[in-house]
Structures are given as C-alpha cells and as structure tokens.
Coordinates of all heavy atoms in Angstrom, one line a residue:
M1 N 88.3 93.2 101.4 CA 89.3 93.2 102.5 C 90.6 93.7 102.0 O 91.1 93.3 101.0 CB 89.4 91.7 103.0 CG 90.3 91.6 104.1 SD 90.1 89.9 104.7 CE 90.9 90.0 106.3
I2 N 91.1 94.7 102.7 CA 92.4 95.3 102.3 C 93.6 94.4 102.2 O 94.3 94.4 101.3 CB 92.7 96.6 103.2 CG1 91.6 97.7 102.9 CG2 94.1 97.1 102.9 CD1 91.8 98.9 103.8
L3 N 93.7 93.6 103.2 CA 94.9 92.7 103.2 C 94.9 91.7 102.0 O 95.9 91.5 101.4 CB 94.9 91.9 104.5 CG 95.3 92.7 105.8 CD1 95.2 91.8 107.0 CD2 96.7 93.3 105.7
G4 N 93.7 91.2 101.7 CA 93.6 90.3 100.5 C 93.9 91.1 99.3 O 94.6 90.6 98.4
S5 N 93.4 92.3 99.2 CA 93.7 93.1 98.0 C 95.2 93.4 97.8 O 95.8 93.4 96.8 CB 92.9 94.4 98.0 OG 91.5 94.1 97.9
M6 N 95.8 93.7 99.0 CA 97.3 94.0 99.0 C 98.0 92.8 98.6 O 99.0 92.9 97.8 CB 97.7 94.5 100.4 CG 97.2 95.9 100.7 SD 97.6 96.3 102.4 CE 99.3 96.8 102.3
F7 N 97.6 91.6 99.1 CA 98.4 90.4 98.7 C 98.3 90.1 97.2 O 99.2 89.7 96.6 CB 97.7 89.2 99.6 CG 98.3 87.9 99.2 CD1 99.6 87.5 99.7 CD2 97.7 87.0 98.4 CE1 100.1 86.3 99.4 CE2 98.2 85.8 98.0 CZ 99.5 85.4 98.5
R8 N 97.1 90.3 96.6 CA 96.9 90.1 95.2 C 97.4 91.2 94.4 O 97.3 91.1 93.1 CB 95.4 89.8 95.0 CG 94.9 88.5 95.5 CD 93.5 88.2 95.1 NE 92.5 89.2 95.6 CZ 92.0 89.2 96.8 NH1 92.3 88.3 97.7 NH2 91.1 90.1 97.2
G9 N 97.9 92.3 95.0 CA 98.5 93.4 94.2 C 97.4 94.3 93.6 O 97.6 95.0 92.6
N10 N 96.2 94.2 94.2 CA 95.1 95.0 93.7 C 94.8 96.3 94.5 O 93.8 96.9 94.4 CB 93.8 94.2 93.7 CG 93.9 93.0 92.7 OD1 94.6 93.1 91.7 ND2 93.2 91.9 93.1
F11 N 95.7 96.6 95.4 CA 95.5 97.7 96.3 C 96.4 98.9 95.9 O 97.6 98.8 96.1 CB 95.7 97.3 97.8 CG 95.4 98.4 98.7 CD1 94.1 98.8 99.0 CD2 96.4 99.1 99.4 CE1 93.8 99.8 99.9 CE2 96.1 100.1 100.3 CZ 94.8 100.5 100.6
A12 N 95.9 99.8 95.2 CA 96.7 101.0 94.8 C 95.8 102.3 95.1 O 95.0 102.7 94.4 CB 96.9 100.9 93.3
P13 N 96.1 102.8 96.3 CA 95.3 104.0 96.8 C 95.2 105.1 95.7 O 94.2 105.7 95.6 CB 96.0 104.5 98.1 CG 96.6 103.2 98.6 CD 97.0 102.4 97.4
M14 N 96.3 105.3 95.0 CA 96.3 106.4 94.1 C 95.3 106.2 92.9 O 94.9 107.1 92.3 CB 97.7 106.7 93.5 CG 98.3 105.7 92.7 SD 100.0 106.2 92.3 CE 100.5 104.9 91.2
D15 N 95.0 104.9 92.7 CA 94.1 104.6 91.6 C 92.6 104.5 92.2 O 91.6 104.6 91.4 CB 94.3 103.2 91.0 CG 95.6 103.2 90.3 OD1 96.1 104.2 89.8 OD2 96.2 102.0 90.1
L16 N 92.5 104.4 93.5 CA 91.2 104.3 94.1 C 90.6 105.6 94.6 O 89.4 105.8 94.7 CB 91.2 103.3 95.3 CG 91.7 101.9 94.9 CD1 91.9 101.1 96.2 CD2 90.7 101.2 94.0
L17 N 91.5 106.6 94.8 CA 91.1 107.8 95.4 C 91.3 109.0 94.5 O 92.2 109.0 93.7 CB 91.9 108.1 96.7 CG 91.8 107.2 97.9 CD1 92.8 107.5 98.9 CD2 90.4 107.1 98.4
Y18 N 90.3 109.9 94.5 CA 90.5 111.1 93.8 C 90.2 112.2 94.8 O 89.0 112.3 95.3 CB 89.5 111.2 92.6 CG 89.7 112.4 91.7 CD1 90.8 112.5 90.8 CD2 88.9 113.5 91.9 CE1 91.0 113.6 90.1 CE2 89.1 114.6 91.1 CZ 90.1 114.7 90.2 OH 90.3 115.8 89.5
P19 N 91.1 113.1 95.1 CA 90.9 114.1 96.1 C 89.6 114.9 95.7 O 89.5 115.4 94.6 CB 92.2 115.0 96.0 CG 93.2 114.1 95.5 CD 92.5 113.2 94.5
S20 N 88.8 115.2 96.8 CA 87.6 115.9 96.5 C 87.7 117.3 96.9 O 86.8 118.1 96.8 CB 86.4 115.3 97.3 OG 86.7 115.3 98.7
D21 N 88.9 117.7 97.4 CA 89.1 119.1 97.8 C 88.9 120.0 96.6 O 89.5 119.9 95.5 CB 90.6 119.2 98.3 CG 91.0 120.6 98.8 OD1 90.4 121.6 98.3 OD2 91.8 120.7 99.7
P22 N 88.0 121.0 96.7 CA 87.8 122.0 95.6 C 89.1 122.7 95.1 O 89.2 122.9 93.9 CB 86.8 123.0 96.1 CG 86.3 122.4 97.4 CD 87.3 121.4 97.9
E23 N 90.0 123.0 96.0 CA 91.2 123.6 95.6 C 92.1 122.7 94.7 O 92.7 123.2 93.8 CB 92.0 124.0 96.9 CG 93.3 124.8 96.6 CD 93.0 126.2 96.0 OE1 91.9 126.7 96.1 OE2 94.0 126.8 95.5
Y24 N 92.1 121.4 95.0 CA 92.8 120.5 94.2 C 92.2 120.5 92.8 O 93.0 120.5 91.8 CB 92.7 119.1 94.8 CG 93.3 118.0 94.0 CD1 94.7 117.8 94.0 CD2 92.5 117.2 93.2 CE1 95.2 116.8 93.2 CE2 93.1 116.2 92.4 CZ 94.4 116.0 92.4 OH 95.0 115.1 91.6
K25 N 90.9 120.4 92.7 CA 90.2 120.4 91.4 C 90.5 121.7 90.6 O 90.8 121.6 89.4 CB 88.8 120.1 91.5 CG 88.4 118.7 92.1 CD 86.9 118.6 92.2 CE 86.6 117.1 92.7 NZ 85.2 116.9 92.8
K26 N 90.4 122.8 91.3 CA 90.7 124.1 90.7 C 92.1 124.2 90.2 O 92.3 124.6 89.0 CB 90.4 125.2 91.7 CG 90.6 126.6 91.2 CD 90.4 127.6 92.3 CE 90.8 129.0 91.7 NZ 91.6 129.7 92.7
L27 N 93.1 123.8 91.0 CA 94.5 123.8 90.6 C 94.7 122.9 89.4 O 95.4 123.3 88.4 CB 95.4 123.5 91.7 CG 95.5 124.5 92.8 CD1 96.3 124.0 94.0 CD2 96.2 125.8 92.3
N28 N 94.2 121.7 89.4 CA 94.4 120.8 88.3 C 93.8 121.4 87.0 O 94.3 121.2 85.9 CB 93.7 119.4 88.6 CG 94.7 118.4 89.0 OD1 95.9 118.7 89.0 ND2 94.2 117.3 89.4
Q29 N 92.6 122.0 87.1 CA 92.0 122.6 85.9 C 92.8 123.8 85.4 O 93.0 124.0 84.2 CB 90.6 123.1 86.2 CG 89.8 123.6 85.0 CD 89.7 122.6 83.9 OE1 89.2 121.5 84.2 NE2 90.0 122.9 82.7
E30 N 93.4 124.6 86.3 CA 94.2 125.7 85.9 C 95.5 125.2 85.2 O 95.9 125.8 84.2 CB 94.6 126.5 87.1 CG 93.4 127.4 87.7 CD 93.8 128.1 88.9 OE1 95.0 128.1 89.3 OE2 92.9 128.8 89.5
V31 N 96.1 124.1 85.7 CA 97.3 123.6 85.1 C 96.9 123.1 83.7 O 97.7 123.3 82.7 CB 97.9 122.4 86.0 CG1 98.9 121.6 85.1 CG2 98.5 123.0 87.2
S32 N 95.8 122.4 83.6 CA 95.4 121.9 82.3 C 95.1 123.0 81.3 O 95.5 123.0 80.1 CB 94.1 121.1 82.5 OG 93.6 120.6 81.3
D33 N 94.5 124.1 81.8 CA 94.2 125.2 80.9 C 95.5 125.9 80.4 O 95.6 126.2 79.3 CB 93.3 126.3 81.6 CG 91.9 125.7 81.9 OD1 91.5 124.7 81.2 OD2 91.2 126.4 82.7
L34 N 96.4 126.1 81.4 CA 97.7 126.7 81.0 C 98.5 125.9 80.0 O 99.1 126.4 79.1 CB 98.5 127.0 82.3 CG 98.0 128.1 83.2 CD1 98.7 128.1 84.5 CD2 98.1 129.5 82.5
A35 N 98.5 124.6 80.3 CA 99.2 123.7 79.4 C 98.6 123.7 78.0 O 99.3 123.8 76.9 CB 99.2 122.3 79.9
H36 N 97.3 123.8 77.9 CA 96.6 123.9 76.6 C 96.9 125.2 75.9 O 97.2 125.2 74.7 CB 95.1 123.8 76.8 CG 94.3 123.8 75.6 ND1 94.3 122.8 74.6 CD2 93.5 124.8 75.0 CE1 93.6 123.1 73.6 NE2 93.0 124.4 73.8
K37 N 96.9 126.3 76.6 CA 97.3 127.6 76.0 C 98.7 127.6 75.5 O 99.0 128.1 74.4 CB 97.1 128.7 77.0 CG 95.7 129.1 77.3 CD 95.6 130.2 78.3 CE 94.1 130.5 78.7 NZ 94.0 131.6 79.7
L38 N 99.6 127.0 76.3 CA 101.0 127.0 75.9 C 101.2 126.1 74.7 O 101.9 126.4 73.8 CB 101.8 126.4 77.1 CG 103.3 126.4 77.0 CD1 103.9 127.8 76.6 CD2 104.0 125.9 78.2
R39 N 100.5 124.9 74.6 CA 100.6 124.0 73.5 C 100.2 124.7 72.2 O 100.8 124.5 71.2 CB 99.6 122.8 73.7 CG 100.3 121.6 74.2 CD 99.4 120.4 74.1 NE 99.9 119.5 75.1 CZ 99.6 119.4 76.4 NH1 98.7 120.2 76.9 NH2 100.1 118.6 77.2
E40 N 99.2 125.6 72.3 CA 98.7 126.3 71.1 C 99.8 127.2 70.5 O 99.8 127.5 69.3 CB 97.5 127.2 71.4 CG 96.3 126.4 71.8 CD 95.1 127.3 72.2 OE1 95.4 128.5 72.5 OE2 94.0 126.8 72.3
N41 N 100.8 127.7 71.3 CA 101.8 128.5 70.8 C 103.1 127.8 70.6 O 104.1 128.5 70.3 CB 102.0 129.7 71.8 CG 100.8 130.5 72.0 OD1 100.2 130.9 71.0 ND2 100.4 130.8 73.2
L42 N 103.1 126.5 70.7 CA 104.4 125.8 70.5 C 104.4 125.0 69.2 O 103.4 124.6 68.7 CB 104.6 124.8 71.7 CG 104.8 125.4 73.1 CD1 104.9 124.3 74.1 CD2 106.1 126.3 73.1
S43 N 105.6 124.8 68.7 CA 105.8 123.9 67.6 C 105.5 122.5 68.1 O 105.5 122.2 69.3 CB 107.2 124.0 67.1 OG 108.1 123.4 68.0
P44 N 105.2 121.6 67.1 CA 104.9 120.2 67.5 C 106.1 119.6 68.3 O 105.9 118.8 69.3 CB 104.8 119.5 66.2 CG 104.2 120.5 65.3 CD 104.9 121.8 65.7
E45 N 107.3 120.0 67.9 CA 108.5 119.4 68.7 C 108.5 119.9 70.1 O 108.7 119.2 71.1 CB 109.8 119.9 68.0 CG 111.0 119.4 68.7 CD 112.3 119.8 68.0 OE1 112.4 119.6 66.7 OE2 113.1 120.4 68.6
N46 N 108.2 121.2 70.3 CA 108.1 121.8 71.7 C 106.9 121.3 72.4 O 107.0 121.2 73.7 CB 108.2 123.3 71.6 CG 109.6 123.8 71.3 OD1 110.6 123.1 71.5 ND2 109.7 125.0 70.7
Q47 N 105.8 121.0 71.7 CA 104.7 120.4 72.4 C 105.1 119.0 73.0 O 104.7 118.7 74.1 CB 103.5 120.2 71.4 CG 102.8 121.5 71.0 CD 101.7 121.3 70.0 OE1 101.4 120.1 69.7 NE2 101.2 122.4 69.4
S48 N 105.9 118.3 72.3 CA 106.3 117.0 72.8 C 107.2 117.2 74.0 O 107.1 116.4 74.9 CB 107.1 116.3 71.6 OG 107.7 115.1 72.1
V49 N 108.1 118.2 74.0 CA 108.9 118.5 75.1 C 108.1 118.8 76.3 O 108.3 118.4 77.5 CB 109.9 119.6 74.8 CG1 110.7 120.0 76.0 CG2 110.9 119.1 73.7
L50 N 107.0 119.6 76.1 CA 106.1 120.0 77.2 C 105.5 118.8 77.8 O 105.4 118.6 79.0 CB 105.1 121.0 76.7 CG 104.0 121.4 77.7 CD1 104.6 122.1 78.9 CD2 102.9 122.2 77.0
D51 N 105.0 117.9 76.9 CA 104.3 116.7 77.4 C 105.3 115.9 78.2 O 104.9 115.3 79.2 CB 103.7 115.9 76.2 CG 102.5 116.6 75.6 OD1 101.9 117.5 76.2 OD2 102.3 116.3 74.4
K52 N 106.5 115.7 77.7 CA 107.5 114.9 78.5 C 107.8 115.5 79.8 O 107.9 114.8 80.8 CB 108.8 114.8 77.7 CG 108.6 113.8 76.5 CD 110.0 113.8 75.7 CE 109.8 113.0 74.4 NZ 111.0 113.0 73.6
M53 N 107.9 116.8 79.9 CA 108.2 117.5 81.1 C 107.0 117.3 82.1 O 107.2 117.0 83.3 CB 108.4 119.0 80.9 CG 108.7 119.8 82.2 SD 108.7 121.6 82.0 CE 107.0 121.9 81.8
L54 N 105.8 117.5 81.6 CA 104.6 117.3 82.5 C 104.5 115.9 83.0 O 104.2 115.7 84.2 CB 103.3 117.7 81.8 CG 103.2 119.2 81.5 CD1 101.9 119.4 80.6 CD2 103.1 120.0 82.8
R55 N 104.8 114.9 82.2 CA 104.8 113.5 82.6 C 105.8 113.2 83.7 O 105.6 112.6 84.7 CB 105.0 112.5 81.5 CG 103.8 112.2 80.7 CD 104.0 111.0 79.8 NE 105.0 111.2 78.8 CZ 104.8 111.8 77.6 NH1 103.6 112.2 77.3 NH2 105.8 111.9 76.7
K56 N 107.0 113.8 83.5 CA 108.1 113.7 84.5 C 107.7 114.4 85.8 O 108.0 113.8 86.9 CB 109.4 114.2 84.0 CG 110.0 113.3 82.9 CD 111.3 113.7 82.5 CE 111.9 112.8 81.4 NZ 112.2 111.5 81.8
I57 N 107.1 115.5 85.7 CA 106.6 116.2 87.0 C 105.6 115.4 87.7 O 105.6 115.2 88.9 CB 106.0 117.6 86.6 CG1 107.1 118.6 86.2 CG2 105.2 118.2 87.8 CD1 106.6 119.9 85.6
Y58 N 104.6 114.8 86.9 CA 103.5 114.0 87.5 C 104.1 112.7 88.2 O 103.7 112.3 89.2 CB 102.4 113.6 86.5 CG 101.7 114.8 86.0 CD1 101.3 114.8 84.7 CD2 101.5 116.0 86.7 CE1 100.6 115.9 84.1 CE2 100.8 117.0 86.2 CZ 100.4 117.0 84.9 OH 99.7 118.1 84.4
T59 N 105.1 112.1 87.5 CA 105.8 111.0 88.0 C 106.5 111.3 89.3 O 106.4 110.6 90.3 CB 106.7 110.4 87.0 OG1 106.0 110.0 85.8 CG2 107.4 109.1 87.5
A60 N 107.2 112.4 89.3 CA 108.0 112.8 90.5 C 107.0 113.1 91.7 O 107.2 112.7 92.8 CB 108.8 114.1 90.2
Q61 N 105.8 113.7 91.4 CA 104.8 113.9 92.4 C 104.3 112.6 92.9 O 104.0 112.5 94.2 CB 103.7 114.8 91.9 CG 104.1 116.2 91.6 CD 103.0 117.0 91.0 OE1 102.1 116.5 90.2 NE2 103.1 118.4 91.2
C62 N 104.1 111.6 92.1 CA 103.6 110.3 92.6 C 104.6 109.7 93.5 O 104.3 109.1 94.5 CB 103.2 109.4 91.4 SG 101.7 109.9 90.5
I63 N 105.9 109.8 93.1 CA 106.9 109.2 93.9 C 107.0 109.9 95.3 O 107.1 109.3 96.3 CB 108.3 109.3 93.2 CG1 108.3 108.4 92.0 CG2 109.5 109.0 94.2 CD1 109.5 108.5 91.1
E64 N 106.8 111.2 95.3 CA 106.8 112.0 96.5 C 105.6 111.6 97.4 O 105.8 111.3 98.6 CB 106.7 113.5 96.2 CG 106.7 114.4 97.4 CD 106.6 115.8 97.1 OE1 106.4 116.2 95.9 OE2 106.8 116.7 98.0
C65 N 104.5 111.4 96.8 CA 103.3 111.0 97.5 C 103.4 109.6 98.1 O 103.0 109.3 99.2 CB 102.0 111.1 96.6 SG 101.5 112.8 96.3
E66 N 104.1 108.7 97.3 CA 104.3 107.4 97.8 C 105.2 107.4 99.0 O 105.0 106.7 100.0 CB 105.0 106.5 96.7 CG 105.3 105.1 97.2 CD 106.0 104.3 96.1 OE1 106.3 104.9 95.0 OE2 106.3 103.2 96.3
S67 N 106.2 108.3 99.0 CA 107.1 108.4 100.2 C 106.4 108.9 101.4 O 106.5 108.3 102.5 CB 108.2 109.3 99.8 OG 109.1 108.8 98.8
Y68 N 105.5 109.9 101.2 CA 104.7 110.4 102.3 C 103.8 109.3 102.8 O 103.6 109.1 104.1 CB 103.9 111.6 101.9 CG 104.7 112.8 101.6 CD1 104.3 113.7 100.6 CD2 105.9 113.1 102.3 CE1 105.0 114.8 100.3 CE2 106.6 114.2 102.0 CZ 106.2 115.1 101.0 OH 106.9 116.2 100.7
F69 N 103.1 108.6 101.9 CA 102.2 107.5 102.3 C 102.9 106.4 103.1 O 102.5 106.0 104.2 CB 101.6 106.9 101.1 CG 100.8 105.6 101.4 CD1 99.5 105.7 101.8 CD2 101.3 104.4 101.2 CE1 98.7 104.6 102.1 CE2 100.6 103.2 101.5 CZ 99.3 103.3 101.9
C70 N 104.1 106.0 102.6 CA 104.9 104.9 103.3 C 105.3 105.4 104.7 O 105.2 104.7 105.7 CB 106.1 104.5 102.5 SG 105.6 103.6 101.0
F71 N 105.8 106.7 104.8 CA 106.2 107.2 106.1 C 105.1 107.3 107.0 O 105.2 106.9 108.2 CB 106.9 108.6 105.9 CG 107.3 109.2 107.2 CD1 108.5 108.8 107.8 CD2 106.5 110.1 107.8 CE1 108.9 109.4 109.0 CE2 106.8 110.7 109.0 CZ 108.1 110.3 109.6
A72 N 103.9 107.8 106.6 CA 102.8 107.9 107.5 C 102.3 106.6 107.9 O 101.9 106.4 109.1 CB 101.7 108.7 106.7
L73 N 102.2 105.6 107.0 CA 101.8 104.3 107.4 C 102.7 103.7 108.5 O 102.3 103.1 109.5 CB 101.7 103.4 106.2 CG 101.2 102.0 106.4 CD1 99.8 102.0 107.0 CD2 101.2 101.1 105.2
A74 N 104.0 103.8 108.2 CA 105.0 103.3 109.2 C 104.9 104.0 110.5 O 105.0 103.4 111.6 CB 106.4 103.4 108.6
A75 N 104.7 105.3 110.5 CA 104.6 106.0 111.8 C 103.3 105.6 112.5 O 103.3 105.5 113.7 CB 104.5 107.5 111.5
G76 N 102.2 105.4 111.8 CA 101.0 104.9 112.4 C 101.1 103.5 113.0 O 100.6 103.3 114.1
M77 N 101.9 102.7 112.3 CA 102.1 101.3 112.8 C 103.0 101.4 114.1 O 102.8 100.7 115.1 CB 102.7 100.4 111.8 CG 101.8 100.1 110.6 SD 102.5 99.2 109.3 CE 102.5 97.6 110.0
Q78 N 104.0 102.3 114.1 CA 104.9 102.4 115.2 C 104.0 103.0 116.4 O 104.2 102.6 117.5 CB 106.0 103.4 114.9 CG 107.0 103.5 116.0 CD 108.2 104.4 115.7 OE1 108.4 104.8 114.6 NE2 109.0 104.6 116.6
L79 N 103.2 103.9 116.1 CA 102.3 104.5 117.2 C 101.4 103.4 117.8 O 101.3 103.3 119.0 CB 101.5 105.6 116.6 CG 100.4 106.2 117.6 CD1 101.1 106.9 118.7 CD2 99.6 107.3 116.8
Q80 N 100.9 102.6 116.9 CA 100.0 101.5 117.4 C 100.8 100.5 118.3 O 100.4 100.1 119.3 CB 99.4 100.7 116.2 CG 98.5 99.6 116.7 CD 97.9 98.8 115.5 OE1 98.4 99.0 114.4 NE2 97.0 97.9 115.8
A81 N 102.1 100.2 117.9 CA 102.9 99.3 118.7 C 103.2 99.9 120.0 O 103.2 99.3 121.0 CB 104.2 99.0 117.9
E82 N 103.5 101.2 120.0 CA 103.8 101.9 121.3 C 102.6 102.0 122.2 O 102.7 101.7 123.4 CB 104.3 103.3 121.0 CG 105.7 103.4 120.4 CD 106.2 104.8 120.1 OE1 105.6 105.8 120.6 OE2 107.2 104.9 119.3
V83 N 101.4 102.2 121.7 CA 100.2 102.2 122.5 C 100.0 100.8 123.0 O 99.7 100.7 124.2 CB 99.0 102.6 121.6 CG1 97.7 102.4 122.3 CG2 99.1 104.1 121.3
Q84 N 100.1 99.7 122.2 CA 99.9 98.4 122.7 C 100.9 98.1 123.8 O 100.6 97.5 124.9 CB 100.1 97.4 121.6 CG 99.0 97.4 120.6 CD 97.7 97.0 121.2 OE1 97.6 96.2 122.0 NE2 96.6 97.7 120.7
H85 N 102.2 98.6 123.7 CA 103.2 98.4 124.7 C 102.8 99.1 126.0 O 102.9 98.5 127.1 CB 104.6 98.9 124.2 CG 105.6 98.8 125.2 ND1 106.2 97.6 125.6 CD2 106.2 99.8 126.0 CE1 107.1 97.9 126.6 NE2 107.1 99.2 126.8
Q86 N 102.3 100.3 125.9 CA 101.9 101.0 127.1 C 100.7 100.4 127.8 O 100.7 100.3 129.0 CB 101.6 102.5 126.7 CG 102.8 103.4 126.4 CD 103.8 103.5 127.6 OE1 103.4 103.7 128.7 NE2 105.1 103.4 127.2
L87 N 99.8 99.9 127.0 CA 98.6 99.2 127.5 C 99.0 98.0 128.3 O 98.5 97.7 129.4 CB 97.6 98.9 126.5 CG 96.8 100.1 125.9 CD1 95.9 99.7 124.7 CD2 96.0 100.9 126.9
K88 N 100.0 97.3 127.7 CA 100.5 96.0 128.3 C 101.2 96.4 129.6 O 101.0 95.8 130.6 CB 101.4 95.3 127.4 CG 101.9 94.0 127.9 CD 102.8 93.3 126.9 CE 103.4 92.0 127.6 NZ 104.3 91.3 126.7
Y89 N 102.0 97.4 129.5 CA 102.8 97.9 130.7 C 101.8 98.3 131.8 O 102.0 97.9 133.0 CB 103.7 99.0 130.4 CG 104.4 99.7 131.5 CD1 105.4 99.1 132.2 CD2 103.9 100.9 132.0 CE1 106.0 99.7 133.3 CE2 104.5 101.5 133.1 CZ 105.6 100.9 133.7 OH 106.1 101.5 134.8
L90 N 100.8 99.1 131.5 CA 99.8 99.5 132.5 C 99.1 98.4 133.1 O 98.7 98.3 134.3 CB 98.9 100.6 131.9 CG 99.5 101.9 131.6 CD1 98.5 102.8 130.8 CD2 100.1 102.6 132.8
G91 N 98.7 97.4 132.2 CA 98.0 96.2 132.7 C 98.8 95.4 133.7 O 98.4 94.9 134.7
E92 N 100.2 95.3 133.4 CA 101.1 94.5 134.3 C 101.3 95.3 135.5 O 101.4 94.7 136.6 CB 102.4 94.2 133.6 CG 102.3 93.2 132.4 CD 103.6 93.1 131.6 OE1 104.6 93.9 131.9 OE2 103.6 92.3 130.7
K93 N 101.3 96.6 135.5 CA 101.5 97.4 136.6 C 100.4 97.3 137.6 O 100.6 97.3 138.8 CB 101.7 98.9 136.2 CG 102.2 99.8 137.2 CD 102.4 101.2 136.6 CE 102.7 102.2 137.7 NZ 102.8 103.5 137.1
D94 N 99.2 97.3 137.1 CA 98.0 97.2 137.9 C 97.8 95.8 138.5 O 97.1 95.6 139.5 CB 96.7 97.5 137.1 CG 96.7 99.0 136.7 OD1 97.4 99.8 137.4 OD2 96.0 99.4 135.8
A95 N 98.4 94.8 137.9 CA 98.2 93.4 138.4 C 99.0 93.1 139.7 O 99.8 93.7 140.2 CB 98.6 92.4 137.3

C-alpha cells in the first residue's frame, strides 16, 4: 500500500523505477562510454574532478526531477479536487 510505504519512509519512486525507454538507456550508455574514454586520458587528479562533476550533475538532475514530480502530483491533486467540486455542484444543481 502506497500510503503505508510513504508513512514509513519506504516510498522512493526514483529507487523503484528504471525508465524502460530505449532512448534513455542508449543515452546513459553513451554518457558512460564518453566518461570512460575521457577518464583514460586524464590524470588521477582530473579523473577525480570529472567524477565530482558527474555526481553534481546527477544530483542536480534528481533535484529537478523531484521538482517536476512534486508539481505534477500537486497539479493532479488540484485537478481531482476541482473535478470533485464540479461533480458536487452538478449534483446539487440537478436536485
């Protein structure tokens, strides 16, 4: 049950889902391949800088995705409330 999982702090969609879009998988593989090629030509110090940069990019993307998720969820809840309001209004109008 989602509500129970959320209450216990066990609901993390980013940990539960892995996009199945072939383009997503292809792009991730390309990024990984490019980072590996770049690492081969870098000093250990610069490899560390590259790793830090990639971690920061991934963290920023997660924050961005979280913002989209929260906005979409809130918009969906607002839509549901508006639909319920309209249904109630129509029901009262017909009575």
Side-chain angles (χ1 to χ4, degrees):
M1 183 171 192
I2 290 176
L3 289 176
S5 293
M6 290 173 80
F7 176 79
R8 290 186 298 278
N10 298 328
F11 185 72
M14 68 184 184
D15 293 338
L16 302 172
L17 297 174
Y18 184 80
S20 59
D21 184 327
E23 183 68 12
Y24 174 83
K25 290 180 180 182
K26 179 182 174 228
L27 288 170
N28 260 351
Q29 187 60 51
E30 288 175 5
V31 168
S32 179
D33 291 345
L34 289 169
H36 181 71
K37 285 180 186 178
L38 186 55
R39 259 188 206 91
E40 290 175 346
N41 297 314
L42 295 175
S43 68
E45 181 180 309
N46 285 334
Q47 288 177 9
S48 176
V49 171
L50 174 64
D51 290 338
K52 287 178 186 177
M53 182 188 73
L54 290 174
R55 275 195 300 277
K56 289 187 182 291
I57 289 170
Y58 298 147
T59 300
Q61 288 174 336
C62 286
I63 292 169
E64 181 181 10
C65 288
E66 178 184 1
S67 296
Y68 293 145
F69 172 81
C70 292
F71 177 81
L73 182 61
M77 292 175 76
Q78 184 177 358
L79 176 63
Q80 181 183 10
E82 289 177 16
V83 168
Q84 291 296 323
H85 175 75
Q86 289 297 320
L87 290 174
K88 182 179 177 184
Y89 171 77
L90 291 173
E92 290 173 357
K93 189 177 173 183
D94 292 339

